[in-house]
Amino acid sequence: MSNGKRNGDVGLKTLSLKKTRPQNRSPKPDSWHRAEIGNHIDLLTGFPFGSEEYTESPHDTRLLRGDNVVQGTIRWEGVKRWPAAQSAHLARYQLAENDLVIAMDRTWVKAGLKIAQLKKNAAPSLLVQRVARLRAKGELNQTYLAQCIGSYRFEQYVKGNQTQSAVPHISAQQICDFTIPIPPPDEQQKIGAILRTWDEAIEKLDAMILSANRQLSAVRQYLFESVYRSRKRLDRARAIFETVSEKARPDLPLLAVMQDIGIVRRDELDRRVVMPDGETSGYKVVQPGDFVISLRSFEGGLELSNVLGLVSPAYTVLRTTRTISRDYFKHYFKSRSFVGRLDKMIFGIRDGKQIAFRDFGDMHIPCPSMEVQKAHAEILNAAVQTIDTTRRLKASIERQKRGLMQKLLTGEWRVKC
């Protein structure tokens, strides 16, 4: 990392722990007891604010919505606000330092649970509907509560107790019915502090990834827009790509086209995807090196495939007609420079409607010399590699934390108080 720290030096501290005997792994320590957290928390769900009354003034009160909650942190970019003059009678919904918030809407089904704790010196904020605020009371420590709610066990509990509504969401009753082990107050405080150290390391890595992604986006924008400004190294997309429609290969694996992870085999995904029930002979073949236009390309660009497989006939498969740097165009098709132009060109096309090749083919896109393509791709690939390395480090620390939580939140490992 460029800040001079050793790879992985993100603030973790040396811990003082002691193991209990192996036979004590299942039974909880005698000084612990289990309880439903509903008896030990003050839970409040947000106020149903009307979207027509949102403001953009930086002087008004921020609204904490489910969109702002990311697992482990809160992001205030694009925050909606409420007129400050109308906030006085909503004091009940005012958030405070260390409040624990949970997004309760259906987004958790795909994105996972979204739980975060407010930091110190947070600007005044109000709680919006479909977000719950939790405050520990009595013998329960707030930081310890946050770790229990952020645990893998709570995530599995929520998944196994989905509401029966057509739109799955997390209910207040589900949260209140969740049981947790409650150690003595001094142990709660120490366990919470230890696990919070891991959270701080993860938050630092999150901030590094966010910053690196912004830098990557800015570099892409600069490189590709400089080609547009030159007006000399542009070509019609149809002069570089053609559509292909190979079919009748039901022996090939099915592929999923995802904006966040690209094109992957469906059987390798750890998330729920719809699998076709019938014949797949009408599905299109995607070769390594092909690009795919998806139904949501106007939001996230085109995807490059590195695998052989089949995609739905709803997708448009593109293959190059000349020698190019695929990495160069991979970056271009994910850039704001391309997505912005595509969105303007196909204004009005949204979910359920395909982007026609004739529209894409008419676009002027950068096509500098191979030497320039390779040089720019090398710069952008290096930035992506840095991001990927940081993500792997974050994933490693998250795995360490999960293992540590299993030991500490069951009493298998005890802390010195």
Side-chain angles (χ1 to χ4, degrees), residues 3 11 124 211 236:
N3 60 6
S211 175
R236 297 278 188 184

Side-chain angles (χ1 to χ4, degrees), residues 21-68:
R21 294 179 180 178
Q23 62 266 29
N24 289 337
R25 180 171 183 174
S26 296
K28 65 182 182 298
D30 293 339
S31 57
W32 294 31
H33 67 277
R34 299 191 69 86
E36 294 180 350
I37 65 169
N39 298 320
H40 296 272
I41 62 170
D42 174 21
L43 186 149
L44 177 69
T45 54
F47 182 83
F49 294 87
S51 59
E52 69 281 356
E53 299 180 81
Y54 290 160
T55 79
E56 302 294 336
S57 170
H59 303 292
D60 286 332
T61 306
R62 301 186 305 185
L63 296 177
L64 179 67
R65 303 180 302 153
D67 293 343
N68 301 114

Side-chain angles (χ1 to χ4, degrees), residues 248-253 280 310:
R249 288 292 308 274
D251 56 302
L252 295 178
T280 59
L310 300 174

Side-chain angles (χ1 to χ4, degrees), residues 352-416:
K353 296 183 180 180
Q354 183 59 283
I355 298 169
F357 177 74
R358 63 178 179 274
D359 295 325
F360 167 78
D362 284 340
M363 292 182 67
H364 282 98
I365 63 176
C367 191
S369 67
M370 276 294 293
E371 183 180 1
V372 171
Q373 289 183 38
K374 289 179 178 179
H376 288 182
E378 186 175 346
I379 292 170
L380 296 169
N381 284 343
V384 171
Q385 186 175 6
T386 299
I387 295 170
D388 289 343
T389 299
T390 309
R391 281 180 173 150
R392 286 194 294 271
L393 177 58
K394 177 192 168 189
S396 175
I397 293 178
E398 287 175 332
R399 286 192 298 270
Q400 292 176 34
K401 187 197 170 190
R402 283 196 297 270
L404 186 59
M405 291 174 81
Q406 176 63 26
K407 304 293 185 182
L408 293 179
L409 296 179
T410 61
E412 182 180 349
W413 286 3
R414 304 291 299 278
V415 297
K416 294 179 180 179

Side-chain angles (χ1 to χ4, degrees), residues 210-222:
L210 183 61
S211 175
N213 272 313
R214 286 173 174 166
Q215 291 176 23
L216 172 61
S217 179
V219 173
R220 281 174 171 168
Q221 188 76 355
Y222 172 78

Side-chain angles (χ1 to χ4, degrees), residues 32 38 40 52 64 71 108 121 165 244 256 345 372:
W32 294 31
H40 296 272
E52 69 281 356
L64 179 67
Q71 180 59 15
W108 72 269
N121 304 318
S165 63
V244 291
M345 183 190 68
V372 171

Side-chain angles (χ1 to χ4, degrees), residues 15-309:
L15 306 180
S16 176
L17 304 170
K18 62 179 181 180
K19 287 187 179 181
T20 57
R21 294 179 180 178
Q23 62 266 29
N24 289 337
R25 180 171 183 174
S26 296
K28 65 182 182 298
D30 293 339
S31 57
W32 294 31
H33 67 277
R34 299 191 69 86
E36 294 180 350
I37 65 169
N39 298 320
H40 296 272
I41 62 170
D42 174 21
L43 186 149
L44 177 69
T45 54
F47 182 83
F49 294 87
S51 59
E52 69 281 356
E53 299 180 81
Y54 290 160
T55 79
E56 302 294 336
S57 170
H59 303 292
D60 286 332
T61 306
R62 301 186 305 185
L63 296 177
L64 179 67
R65 303 180 302 153
D67 293 343
N68 301 114
V69 183
V70 183
Q71 180 59 15
T73 189
I74 296 173
R75 294 179 182 165
W76 295 105
E77 295 89 348
V79 65
K80 301 294 184 181
R81 294 179 181 270
W82 189 258
Q86 301 178 29
S87 300
H89 70 288
L90 298 172
R92 180 181 180 217
Y93 299 96
Q94 183 76 48
L95 291 163
E97 177 186 323
N98 290 327
D99 276 349
L100 183 65
V101 293
I102 304 177
M104 303 171 73
D105 59 20
R106 64 177 301 174
T107 57
W108 72 269
V109 177
K110 288 187 176 180
L113 297 185
K114 299 195 296 183
I115 302 169
Q117 198 166 7
L118 267 70
K119 297 183 181 299
K120 296 179 180 178
N121 304 318
S125 308
L126 293 172
L127 190 68
V128 172
Q129 61 184 343
R130 293 189 291 278
V131 181
R133 183 218 67 198
L134 279 63
R135 290 177 182 169
K137 62 183 183 181
E139 63 178 338
L140 188 60
N141 178 276
Q142 181 74 3
T143 304
Y144 179 79
L145 168 66
Q147 297 301 329
C148 291
I149 293 297
S151 68
Y152 177 74
R153 193 171 72 86
F154 180 72
E155 181 178 0
Q156 293 303 107
Y157 163 80
V158 170
K159 288 181 178 179
N161 293 274
Q162 294 184 26
T163 58
Q164 298 302 312
S165 63
V167 181
H169 63 278
I170 303 171
S171 69
Q173 191 60 52
Q174 275 181 295
I175 298 172
C176 290
D177 289 346
F178 182 61
T179 61
I180 62 171
I182 302 183
D186 55 348
E187 282 195 72
Q188 289 185 50
Q189 184 175 1
K190 190 66 178 287
I191 291 171
I194 290 171
L195 294 175
R196 181 62 194 153
T197 301
W198 257 254
D199 289 337
E200 290 169 356
I202 293 168
E203 288 168 10
K204 288 181 181 179
L205 291 170
D206 264 331
M208 291 169 62
I209 293 169
L210 183 61
S211 175
N213 272 313
R214 286 173 174 166
Q215 291 176 23
L216 172 61
S217 179
V219 173
R220 281 174 171 168
Q221 188 76 355
Y222 172 78
L223 292 178
F224 298 128
E225 286 301 312
S226 65
V227 180
Y228 277 105
R229 286 193 297 270
S230 73
R231 298 178 179 274
K232 297 178 181 178
R233 294 174 290 175
L234 299 174
D235 212 334
R236 297 278 188 184
R238 62 171 175 266
I240 307 172
F241 297 94
E242 65 179 358
T243 59
V244 291
S245 188
E246 292 182 53
K247 296 181 180 179
R249 288 292 308 274
D251 56 302
L252 295 178
L254 294 172
L255 304 179
V257 183
M258 319 289 288
Q259 287 187 6
D260 54 344
I261 58 176
I263 300 177
V264 295
R265 289 178 53 146
R266 292 196 191 188
D267 56 12
E268 293 178 352
L269 277 176
D270 59 357
R271 65 184 79 174
R272 187 180 302 171
V273 292
V274 177
M275 301 291 280
D277 296 328
E279 184 66 38
T280 59
S281 59
Y283 277 49
K284 295 179 180 179
V285 175
V286 176
Q287 300 278 356
D290 289 346
F291 288 87
V292 175
I293 301 178
S294 72
L295 296 177
R296 303 190 69 84
S297 287
F298 62 86
E299 289 185 349
L302 276 58
E303 306 299 335
L304 172 65
S305 179
N306 293 311
V307 293
L308 173 65

